[in-house]
Amino acid sequence: MGYRVRRGGLLLWVTIGLGVAGSLAAGSAPKSDPGPVKASSVLDVTPETQARQDNPPTYQADNPRNNLHFSFSPSGARITPLSPSAGAWSLDLALGAFGHDAEATSPGTARLSASENHVDYAFEGVRQTFVNGESALEHGFTLAAPPDHRDPGSETRITLDLAVGGDLVPKRIPPSYFVDFADGGGKTVLRYGPVRATGADGSILEAKIKILPATDEEGPEVRIFVEAENPV
């Protein structure tokens, strides 16, 4: 599996949906074209706090269909129920590492911005985007081409590690297109997926999700990886 792009161009796009359990079908293969996401005033992102001298702005949005509330800060996204009837829990997702092959490192500090129903995190080498769609929160990544010193035609593994926080526990759902998040009683609350990856030339790439268990130093992580052929 591979594709070719010119050096310095965009390498691939990765998108994942996040919605309540049952809104995204279990075991479904990723679609080749997710289609446009329509914005509306109900789904628009609004400022939560204003930017100050030492503090960047934060944003918020509601998704009534999924009964979810989103908060976006420079450190990442927090998902909570929109109404008390859905219980009391939270899920934090943050890009913890990004890289090629075994060279994944912290992406650094992002420049946070918002427009209509989009929130963008501009890191060095990767842009993270959240789109508040009617059926789900779309989580996307736009990645730059790998470093020029790599051998043309060789395989490159693109890795995105998402740090997971809050009250929910991730569970992988075969065939690795989905991850479910369950509460303390084991009930599935949210579904993250399917994962889709598209090359700069429009080709569909196989992408997978796996779970890295918690350690004494860090909580669990969700890893997204894509195998791609380096450009010539």
Side-chain angles (χ1 to χ4, degrees):
M1 180 216 26
Y3 62 98
R4 302 173 188 274
V5 296
R6 70 183 186 277
R7 290 192 184 279
L10 294 177
L11 179 62
L12 58 87
W13 292 267
V14 180
T15 57
I16 311 99
L18 176 69
V20 295
S23 66
L24 299 168
S28 299
K31 297 180 180 179
S32 59
D33 181 9
V37 179
K38 296 181 180 179
S40 73
S41 59
V42 175
L43 300 173
D44 278 355
V45 177
T46 59
E48 188 173 44
T49 62
Q50 298 295 328
R52 300 179 184 276
Q53 184 175 1
D54 298 325
N55 296 309
T58 61
Y59 300 95
Q60 63 182 349
D62 293 335
N63 192 296
R65 179 173 176 177
N66 285 280
N67 193 25
L68 296 175
H69 176 76
F70 310 120
S71 297
F72 305 97
S73 70
S75 60
R78 167 164 287 193
I79 300 95
T80 55
L82 182 58
S83 66
S85 62
W89 52 262
S90 66
L91 173 66
D92 298 327
L93 292 176
L95 182 60
F98 153 72
H100 306 87
D101 299 323
E103 299 177 9
T105 58
S106 170
T109 303
R111 186 175 70 254
L112 182 61
S113 62
S115 176
E116 296 183 337
N117 64 334
H118 294 67
V119 177
D120 285 320
Y121 290 76
F123 295 97
E124 182 69 28
V126 58
R127 178 181 293 272
Q128 176 181 230
T129 302
F130 291 94
V131 181
N132 189 21
E134 293 182 3
S135 61
L137 179 70
E138 193 86 358
H139 190 190
F141 298 91
T142 306
L143 285 71
D148 287 342
H149 69 265
R150 298 178 183 275
D151 295 332
S154 63
E155 288 291 317
T156 296
R157 169 167 284 195
I158 310 301
T159 301
L160 296 157
D161 285 345
L162 302 178
V164 177
D167 307 308
L168 304 182
V169 178
K171 302 186 300 181
R172 188 184 70 86
I173 304 299
S176 299
Y177 296 134
F178 294 88
V179 167
D180 279 354
F181 288 94
D183 61 19
K187 178 184 177 181
T188 298
V189 176
L190 294 175
R191 167 152 290 171
Y192 186 71
V195 57
R196 302 182 294 266
T198 307
D201 61 358
S203 59
I204 305 302
L205 308 175
E206 185 179 359
K208 294 292 182 71
I209 301 178
K210 67 182 295 185
I211 297 172
L212 304 182
T215 65
D216 292 338
E217 294 79 22
E218 298 179 343
E221 292 184 326
V222 172
R223 170 166 290 179
I224 302 163
F225 58 92
V226 181
E227 299 284 354
E229 183 177 298
N230 286 335
V232 174

